[in-house]
Amino acid sequence: MVSIKDVARDAGVSPQTVSNCINNPSIVKPATRKVVQASIARLNYTPNASARRLRTQRSNTIGIGIAPVSYSQVYDRFLHALVTEADANGIRVLLYKTDSQQDEIRQFAALAARGDVDSFVLTDTTHDDPRLAWLHEHHQPFVLFGRPWGCGAMDDPSTPWVDVDGHYGIAEMTRHLILHGRKHIGFIGWPGVSGTGTDRYQGWRDTMLDARMVSGDELGQLYEEASNDIIAGQTACIALLDRRPDLDAIICVSDTLAVGAATALPNDTDIVITGFDDTVSSRSMGLSSIAQPLTESARHIIRITQEQLDAPAAAFTGTNDGGGAASTADSHSTGAPEIVAGAYTGSGSDGGGRGASSTSPVATPATAAATVPATVIARDDRHILLKPTIVIR
Amino acid sequence: MVSIKDVARDAGVSPQTVSNCINNPSIVKPATRKVVQASIARLNYTPNASARRLRTQRSNTIGIGIAPVSYSQVYDRFLHALVTEADANGIRVLLYKTDSQQDEIRQFAALAARGDVDSFVLTDTTHDDPRLAWLHEHHQPFVLFGRPWGCGAMDDPSTPWVDVDGHYGIAEMTRHLILHGRKHIGFIGWPGVSGTGTDRYQGWRDTMLDARMVSGDELGQLYEEASNDIIAGQTACIALLDRRPDLDAIICVSDTLAVGAATALPNDTDIVITGFDDTVSSRSMGLSSIAQPLTESARHIIRITQEQLDAPAAAFTGTNDGGGAASTADSHSTGAPEIVAGAYTGSGSDGGGRGASSTSPVATPATAAATVPATVIARDDRHILLKPTIVIR
DNA sequence: CTGTTAGCGCTTTCAT
DNA sequence: ATGAAAGCGCTAACAG
């Protein structure tokens, strides 16, 4: 392995100068820098990560857990997005197992103690999540993907999170259906009260009531619950149509349920089924869905992580610094999203056409969703709520 | 952070003795060891990973890639299994992105040069995979999950792999259906020649021909191809039933296709649909499927990785060392699988009932598949072919 | 602007 | 059986 000394000898300078060329090029005389960089290239030198970590006491690595099974079908795409954004910022991603929340806490302790990671990314936050308590107690940096529902930490500066606005997504989808002439729009949701599920449900409910498409009394008839699998989706769809044969659209809280519902439809029907997450399955079935801006989410997660680590002692002020999301990233952030401070349950037509032709976030079937940068609705720069993209097929 | 010096001071010994207590306890006098271990526990000491890595020049980390999308729905479970087995052996798992094979090669170079990982785990090997060429050329250790189909490296000692026997799984499923009175069994496979797809297809074909359930001429009528999505599965199923209304079972090369096929079935039918991978989707639909022994696979991958790293210079002899898979793992491997050397396309009834009541690998509906240790059919201890478990529902 | 010194935390010699 | 010395490769702090 070629080390910094080899480069130094080759370039006729001291190891320190080589180090400076890499970590602080501006303080090296251009001529010297040139020579050193030539040596680096010729010898194909790459700094040893362990040595650097030992010296700087920074691993430049974040940890993220993987559960025994993932029901969402979106986790692998999220991981890819996260790794991609991390990679672009010189950060590595370490995977650890999470068989339970307690197990994850054990992993926190081990990984943090060994200095394997600087920070963690958490998903699937639950009510009174013990992981948050542990992390806070041990002053361990982290970022949530998903809001800390019911933890009372929604606005806590020391509980940064990035999430996708399910309420908005479902509301937008509902509006789209209404605008295209659908009169009786049902909803299949998850049972129980989950933050995410309830949020999405309310997106449908609020829009339906706002548009006077349904009375409060009638709402229950258009609603069905189903655990997150295909069969449950089928069952719920059948129950819904049984109760309300006049339905002409059913919005599902997930793609899995949408796939189930779609397969339970009579052959000759015109009923529209929509899902959430724009998975391969729903896409192959031609269902409209709601795509989470995973790349954008990952970008913010990495940005916040970087900010935390670069300014560990600086207390968070709680005020938006004016620059917003775009201010930190050094040349990486292409198409930096605008930050629209304020409530996130806004009406669909937010000001500011931010792209080419389409003023609505509804993507045309042909143009892929990925090209449109996600719009941000945020409280401040450590609590980021992203708008999903409605994908109509 | 508490370091080895702190422990040494606390225990009244030298840092070296503390180090020995951790890495080589047997050479420390029991009394001293006791004292040191008490200090370690009291101070809650964990050795710093970077320092150890720098000193030993070993990262004890393996790298594995994540693609932009995964169609298999099994990758996340594999990752969990891999991380779990790695964790049990003191190995960390670093995730890197793989947008293409070339991209992955770039990652290899970067990660290897920085000393971030010792070895890689590769999946989705293709014909003349450029990644293998690169790894060989740079003497970079790795293990494949999945055979190197068509690379001519199937028996190459320096190309270790772990795979699950799709031919066997599908053959066993076919036999099961035959034994339960199914007379006309169709197959939905993937188009084109993929190693995995063809292997599974042949499991059906060989069994059908062996059992005289079909003539060679007739075979084509019972076979349909479909790209790996739900709609394609539906279409193929309909085409199949259209051509052969007498079908009473359809074996699908994947769960995704099985789900599609199942949803395309008439309401009152008795036709059995089976899939591959035992995913949440197919399970929720009550479909029989074939479960890959992911934990077992991961265990072998980690074992081989360890062996490679522990004996870097030792040339592989190509002979089974007699101990087989169970010989290396130190106390971790519970229920070590037997190794049955020989051809892998054996007839179903291989000798040796290895468990309780059931002599056939067909699991009963009630007892979960996971409890049965996977049987190994292997050429040698660096080329491991595992038997999947047939899950009947 | 560049070089020297020192040390991050650990483990492999080699003495004792 | 234990300790002392050295150094893995790198970078912060200072001196020049």
Side-chain angles (χ1 to χ4, degrees):
Chain A
M1 276 300 85
V2 37
S3 89
I4 201 169
K5 281 187 188 170
D6 300 318
V7 178
R9 197 175 322 113
D10 185 83
V13 296
S14 78
Q16 181 52 21
T17 302
V18 178
S19 175
N20 285 337
C21 284
I22 296 165
N23 301 302
N24 205 352
S26 61
I27 70 164
V28 179
K29 186 165 65 177
T32 332
R33 201 194 312 163
K34 211 99 177 183
V35 175
V36 172
Q37 275 161 349
S39 288
I40 289 176
R42 179 147 31 83
L43 301 181
N44 202 13
Y45 166 70
T46 312
N48 180 288
S50 296
R52 178 179 277 175
R53 285 202 272 255
L54 176 58
R55 181 64 239 232
T56 61
Q57 302 289 57
R58 280 260 308 253
S59 68
N60 282 310
T61 304
I62 58 178
I64 185 159
I66 180 127
V69 286
S70 100
Y71 293 93
S72 65
Q73 258 184 289
V74 82
Y75 202 67
D76 49 3
R77 286 189 287 155
F78 172 65
L79 283 182
H80 179 265
L82 186 68
V83 173
T84 300
E85 291 302 317
D87 189 63
N89 289 283
I91 292 177
R92 280 159 295 287
V93 176
L94 196 68
L95 209 59
Y96 59 85
K97 79 182 177 81
T98 58
D99 292 346
S100 68
Q101 291 184 328
Q102 287 308 322
D103 184 42
E104 187 159 4
I105 289 175
R106 275 193 297 276
Q107 298 283 356
F108 289 162
L111 292 171
R114 314 174 97 109
D116 275 327
V117 304
D118 295 327
S119 177
F120 293 98
V121 176
L122 269 70
T123 59
D124 299 311
T125 323
T126 60
H127 186 79
D128 283 334
D129 200 310
R131 299 173 301 169
L132 293 188
W134 191 95
L135 291 165
H136 278 135
E137 194 181 325
H138 292 78
H139 302 97
Q140 177 62 53
F142 65 93
V143 180
L144 307 183
F145 182 46
R147 273 160 284 183
W149 296 105
C151 294
M154 202 68 93
D155 294 300
D156 176 11
S158 65
T159 305
W161 53 258
V162 175
D163 201 2
V164 175
D165 194 340
H167 184 287
Y168 168 87
I170 294 288
E172 200 61 26
M173 182 66 91
T174 309
R175 282 189 282 269
H176 171 83
L177 292 174
I178 292 171
L179 290 175
H180 285 72
R182 301 288 155 169
K183 303 262 183 256
H184 309 286
I185 305 171
F187 188 84
I188 300 178
W190 291 319
V193 278
S194 65
T196 308
T198 304
D199 189 47
R200 294 181 189 177
Y201 161 77
Q202 289 171 348
W204 167 76
R205 187 200 61 185
D206 294 351
T207 308
M208 292 292 279
L209 293 175
D210 276 2
R212 305 260 193 281
M213 298 296 287
V214 69
S215 70
D217 297 342
E218 217 185 340
L219 213 56
Q221 291 177 20
L222 300 178
Y223 175 72
E224 194 66 34
E225 288 183 345
S227 63
N228 202 31
D229 61 64
I230 294 179
I231 285 284
Q234 290 180 331
T235 310
C237 178
I238 290 165
L240 220 43
L241 292 178
D242 202 47
R243 193 158 65 229
R244 289 291 299 255
D246 59 329
L247 282 188
D248 51 17
I250 299 175
I251 294 175
C252 300
V253 73
S254 76
D255 267 8
T256 303
L257 289 175
V259 167
T263 57
L265 246 33
N267 276 332
D268 54 347
T269 183
D270 181 40
I271 299 172
V272 173
I273 305 286
T274 77
F276 203 113
D277 269 352
D278 194 32
T279 60
V280 178
S281 310
S282 80
R283 209 176 312 157
S284 94
M285 299 199 61
L287 304 180
S288 294
S289 194
I290 297 163
Q292 297 200 37
L294 297 175
T295 297
E296 210 72 42
S297 302
R299 188 165 304 175
H300 280 284
I301 290 171
I302 296 297
R303 173 185 61 78
I304 295 172
T305 301
Q306 297 260 45
E307 288 175 12
Q308 283 180 324
L309 298 179
D310 290 345
F316 184 68
T317 62
T319 61
N320 192 315
D321 68 353
S327 66
T328 40
D330 44 353
S331 84
H332 281 305
S333 73
T334 57
E338 52 177 337
I339 288 205
V340 183
Y344 62 94
T345 52
S347 63
S349 54
D350 53 298
R354 62 196 160 349
S357 52
S358 74
T359 55
S360 143
V362 175
T364 52
T367 55
T371 57
V372 184
T375 305
V376 184
I377 324 165
R379 287 183 176 71
D380 53 59
D381 58 2
R382 296 212 172 173
H383 301 104
I384 303 292
L385 195 57
L386 296 163
K387 288 187 186 176
T389 305
I390 316 303
V391 183
I392 304 299
R393 296 191 194 283
Chain B
M1 275 301 85
V2 35
S3 87
I4 202 170
K5 280 186 187 170
D6 301 317
V7 178
R9 197 177 319 113
D10 185 82
V13 297
S14 78
Q16 181 49 28
T17 302
V18 179
S19 175
N20 285 335
C21 284
I22 295 165
N23 302 303
N24 206 354
S26 61
I27 71 164
V28 179
K29 187 164 64 175
T32 340
R33 202 194 310 164
K34 211 99 176 184
V35 176
V36 172
Q37 274 160 352
S39 289
I40 289 176
R42 180 147 31 83
L43 301 181
N44 201 13
Y45 167 69
T46 311
N48 180 288
S50 295
R52 176 178 278 177
R53 284 203 271 256
L54 176 57
R55 181 63 240 232
T56 61
Q57 302 288 61
R58 280 260 307 252
S59 67
N60 282 311
T61 305
I62 58 177
I64 185 160
I66 180 126
V69 288
S70 98
Y71 293 92
S72 65
Q73 257 182 289
V74 81
Y75 202 67
D76 49 3
R77 287 190 287 155
F78 172 65
L79 283 182
H80 179 265
L82 186 68
V83 172
T84 301
E85 291 301 318
D87 189 62
N89 289 284
I91 292 178
R92 281 161 294 288
V93 176
L94 197 68
L95 209 58
Y96 60 84
K97 80 182 176 78
T98 58
D99 292 346
S100 67
Q101 290 184 329
Q102 287 309 321
D103 185 40
E104 187 160 5
I105 289 175
R106 275 193 297 276
Q107 299 283 356
F108 289 162
L111 293 171
R114 313 173 97 108
D116 275 327
V117 303
D118 295 327
S119 177
F120 294 97
V121 176
L122 269 71
T123 59
D124 300 310
T125 324
T126 60
H127 186 79
D128 283 335
D129 199 311
R131 299 173 301 169
L132 293 188
W134 191 95
L135 291 165
H136 278 135
E137 194 181 327
H138 293 78
H139 303 96
Q140 177 61 53
F142 65 93
V143 180
L144 307 183
F145 182 47
R147 273 161 282 182
W149 296 105
C151 294
M154 202 69 94
D155 293 301
D156 177 13
S158 64
T159 306
W161 52 259
V162 175
D163 201 2
V164 175
D165 195 341
H167 184 287
Y168 169 87
I170 293 288
E172 200 61 25
M173 181 65 91
T174 309
R175 283 189 281 270
H176 171 83
L177 291 174
I178 293 171
L179 290 175
H180 285 73
R182 301 289 156 169
K183 302 265 183 253
H184 308 284
I185 306 171
F187 188 85
I188 301 179
W190 290 319
V193 278
S194 65
T196 308
T198 305
D199 190 46
R200 294 182 189 177
Y201 161 75
Q202 289 171 349
W204 166 76
R205 188 199 60 185
D206 294 351
T207 308
M208 291 292 279
L209 292 174
D210 277 2
R212 306 263 192 278
M213 298 297 287
V214 68
S215 69
D217 297 343
E218 219 185 339
L219 213 57
Q221 290 177 22
L222 301 178
Y223 175 73
E224 194 67 33
E225 287 182 347
S227 62
N228 203 31
D229 62 65
I230 294 180
I231 284 284
Q234 290 180 331
T235 310
C237 178
I238 290 166
L240 221 42
L241 293 178
D242 201 47
R243 193 159 63 227
R244 290 290 300 253
D246 59 330
L247 282 188
D248 50 16
I250 299 176
I251 293 175
C252 300
V253 73
S254 76
D255 267 9
T256 303
L257 289 175
V259 166
T263 56
L265 247 33
N267 276 332
D268 53 348
T269 183
D270 181 40
I271 299 172
V272 172
I273 305 285
T274 76
F276 203 113
D277 270 352
D278 195 32
T279 60
V280 178
S281 310
S282 79
R283 210 177 311 157
S284 93
M285 299 198 62
L287 304 181
S288 294
S289 194
I290 297 164
Q292 297 200 37
L294 297 175
T295 298
E296 210 72 41
S297 301
R299 186 166 305 172
H300 281 284
I301 290 171
I302 296 296
R303 173 185 61 78
I304 294 172
T305 300
Q306 297 260 46
E307 289 176 10
Q308 283 180 326
L309 298 179
D310 289 344
F316 182 68
T317 62
T319 61
N320 193 316
D321 68 353
S327 64
T328 39
D330 43 355
S331 83
H332 280 302
S333 73
T334 58
E338 50 175 337
I339 287 205
V340 183
Y344 63 95
T345 52
S347 64
S349 54
D350 54 298
R354 60 191 163 351
S357 54
S358 75
T359 55
S360 139
V362 175
T364 53
T367 54
T371 56
V372 184
T375 305
V376 184
I377 323 166
R379 286 183 177 69
D380 53 60
D381 58 1
R382 296 212 173 172
H383 301 104
I384 302 292
L385 195 57
L386 295 163
K387 288 188 188 176
T389 305
I390 316 302
V391 183
I392 305 299
R393 299 191 193 281

